[in-house]
Amino acid sequence: MESKEIIIAGLQGIVTELSQQADGHIIQSKIFAGEGFTKLADKYSEHANEERGYVEQCIDRILELGGEVKNEAKQAAPTYKDPIEWVKYDLEVSKTGLAGLAKLIEVAIKDPITFEILVAYYKDEEEDLQWGEQQLELIEMIGKQNWLLQQL
């Protein structure tokens, strides 16, 4: 498969997966708001908006490369009432996503426009991963109840 086709397929994968994640983050935001965890609700609402921005950039790039954008089926994803279980789940999603994204970045290195989009997205996802790791470490240090109080 030619690198342009690999790039288009990779961007399509991001469009499919990331739009799913953005929907999941909005759902989680509403769940957290309903439970009174307004800081988490705001964080995940903002995060969903960032993700939608990357989805739009990937769609635009697919079209610029002459590809066809698809609205593909998405797998069901879990939701959590327990914020800590959600942070653990979201952290694993980030780890998996970054590994795949790193491979696509290697292919896109000769396509500066796509490369720039992917590197920016990678940095954002890496920050999310680090946030999740920091939160789990903080929970270990101060305890679940104290951490949850900070999320109100």
Side-chain angles (χ1 to χ4, degrees), residues 3-27:
S3 74
K4 181 177 168 181
E5 293 170 345
I6 294 170
I7 290 169
I8 290 171
L11 291 171
Q12 178 62 57
I14 292 171
V15 167
T16 301
E17 294 297 321
L18 196 54
S19 62
Q20 169 79 1
Q21 287 178 25
D23 289 345
H25 286 142
I26 286 293
I27 293 168

Side-chain angles (χ1 to χ4, degrees), residues 20-105:
Q20 169 79 1
Q21 287 178 25
D23 289 345
H25 286 142
I26 286 293
I27 293 168
Q28 282 301 145
S29 172
K30 296 296 184 182
I31 290 170
F32 294 148
E35 297 292 314
F37 299 115
T38 55
K39 288 183 181 177
L40 282 176
D42 291 346
K43 178 197 176 9
Y44 283 105
S45 177
E46 290 170 18
H47 190 54
N49 289 333
E50 289 174 356
E51 290 171 329
R52 295 216 186 279
Y54 287 115
V55 168
E56 288 181 17
Q57 288 180 45
C58 290
I59 290 169
D60 290 343
R61 188 63 185 147
I62 290 169
L63 295 172
E64 290 166 359
L65 292 171
E68 179 183 339
V69 180
K70 300 172 189 117
N71 188 6
E72 297 176 322
K74 298 157 183 80
Q75 291 185 338
T79 58
Y80 294 87
K81 276 197 163 196
D82 182 334
I84 296 169
E85 291 305 311
W86 169 257
V87 171
K88 290 176 184 176
Y89 168 77
D90 204 38
L91 180 61
E92 290 306 311
V93 170
S94 289
K95 287 178 182 177
T96 302
L98 282 171
L101 188 54
K103 292 177 186 175
L104 183 57
I105 288 171

Side-chain angles (χ1 to χ4, degrees), residues 3-4 6-7 11 61 65 101-119:
S3 74
K4 181 177 168 181
I6 294 170
I7 290 169
L11 291 171
R61 188 63 185 147
L65 292 171
L101 188 54
K103 292 177 186 175
L104 183 57
I105 288 171
E106 287 177 23
V107 175
I109 200 158
K110 293 182 181 178
D111 176 353
I113 295 170
T114 303
F115 182 80
E116 185 176 307
I117 292 167
L118 296 176
V119 168

